[in-house]
Amino acid sequence: MSTASALSSSLKHHLAFGLRFPQNHALCRRNAARLTTSRSFTVAMAATPTSPLEVCVKASVTTPNKLGDCPFCQRVLLTLEEKHLPYDMKLVDLGNKPEWFLQISPEGKVPVAKLDEKWVPDSDVITQSLEEKYPDPPLVTPPEKASAGSKIFSTFIGFLKSKDPSDGTEQALLNELSSFNDHIKENGPFINGEKVSSADLSLGPKLYHLEIALGHYKNWSIPDTLPYVKSYMKTLFSLDSFIKTRASPDDVIAGWRPKVMG
């Protein structure tokens, strides 16, 4: 579905819009009903976007007009989905970056989102801004739990790139996964308990890449001795928002090939 672009007229010709409306519209009804009255004044509590939010993400390298394999892009899209915010998804070919994209992202990186008429880079900044601007439903992870699983991604990359089976990179990954297994055992099913939060939306795409890339390049999978990690991944990967925003396995495999072969 196409929609009117908020970009300058010089850029409009080059943009292909992918309008996304989250399937759960109950939030709109809740926001409409959530009013506070002070004397004769009635004020709506929750902010809602006046138009779909624009976000630039990596395009697939295997299938035309499909979402690519960037876990940081998926994190932003997951946040938009879980907050039930409509958005325009702009697919960017990072192998041949168009001029309109370089005008709004001089470093040529994704994701980039347009917030308050400014293009904002970095998934950390974007998701924090979305939380502040659209706080309902809340996705904040308490500080004492926010770092759970935060070292898994770096140890995964180290193991994936390793050429030496005895260099300790596999054990380093297993140590981080074991620590996370203990956290989910005590706090699950999600990092902050019963409801998904921002930490899950950050870690989930990385675990998805881990599962596919290590399975393909090393014939490796999460061991059965870590049942809570496996259950966590299954639960998170089955969310409607995750299914809607995930990359294809072929794109994930292609995306990691340069690091593995490099």
Side-chain angles (χ1 to χ4, degrees):
M1 176 184 298
S2 63
T3 186
S5 171
L7 295 175
S8 65
S9 58
S10 64
L11 304 182
K12 290 180 181 178
H13 176 72
H14 300 283
L15 297 180
F17 295 102
L19 185 57
R20 298 293 188 274
F21 288 97
Q23 297 174 351
N24 186 346
H25 299 291
L27 178 64
C28 298
R29 294 191 293 271
R30 291 200 301 271
N31 285 346
R34 190 179 291 114
L35 303 175
T36 180
T37 304
S38 176
R39 295 182 181 177
S40 60
F41 298 96
T42 302
V43 182
M45 291 296 289
T48 55
T50 56
S51 60
L53 300 172
E54 299 173 38
V55 57
C56 297
V57 296
K58 182 180 180 180
S60 168
V61 298
T62 66
T63 308
N65 303 315
K66 293 291 184 180
L67 179 66
D69 64 296
C70 174
F72 305 100
C73 291
Q74 189 184 10
R75 176 191 182 188
V76 170
L77 297 179
L78 279 169
T79 302
L80 291 167
E81 288 287 338
E82 290 295 328
K83 285 189 170 293
H84 317 298
L85 299 171
Y87 57 94
D88 279 332
M89 185 172 69
K90 298 170 176 57
L91 301 175
V92 180
D93 179 358
L94 297 185
N96 184 25
K97 299 168 186 174
E99 182 60 30
W100 66 260
F101 173 65
L102 292 174
Q103 288 183 34
I104 61 178
S105 179
E107 294 185 0
K109 295 181 179 180
V110 289
V112 186
K114 193 171 188 181
L115 302 171
D116 295 324
E117 299 306 312
K118 295 181 180 180
W119 286 99
V120 179
D122 192 294
S123 63
D124 283 338
V125 178
I126 295 170
T127 54
Q128 182 177 342
S129 297
L130 289 172
E131 185 64 40
E132 293 171 354
K133 190 172 180 62
Y134 307 105
D136 191 16
L139 294 175
V140 177
T141 307
E144 64 272 17
K145 296 180 179 180
S147 63
S150 61
K151 296 181 180 180
I152 291 175
F153 194 56
S154 61
T155 53
F156 145 63
I157 295 174
F159 178 40
L160 180 67
K161 294 170 64 177
S162 172
K163 307 298 184 184
D164 181 0
S166 62
D167 64 1
T169 55
E170 179 181 9
Q171 189 58 51
L173 173 59
L174 287 171
N175 290 344
E176 294 301 327
L177 289 170
S178 180
S179 177
F180 186 66
N181 189 78
D182 293 342
H183 177 90
I184 296 300
K185 180 180 180 179
E186 297 175 6
N187 298 275
F190 297 108
I191 289 175
N192 190 36
E194 293 296 324
K195 294 185 178 180
V196 71
S197 68
S198 58
D200 301 298
L201 306 185
S202 176
L203 180 60
K206 298 170 183 176
L207 289 174
Y208 180 69
H209 279 238
L210 179 156
E211 180 178 70
I212 294 171
L214 289 181
H216 179 80
Y217 289 109
K218 288 187 176 290
N219 194 29
W220 190 95
S221 61
I222 303 289
D224 292 338
T225 53
L226 302 175
Y228 292 94
V229 174
K230 297 181 76 169
S231 176
Y232 172 82
M233 292 168 65
K234 182 178 180 180
T235 300
L236 196 59
F237 296 173
S238 66
L239 294 176
D240 288 342
S241 58
F242 199 96
I243 293 171
K244 188 175 180 180
T245 59
R246 68 189 178 190
S248 73
D250 286 345
D251 268 299
V252 174
I253 291 167
W256 287 105
R257 185 171 291 116
K259 288 189 177 294
V260 176
M261 304 302 181

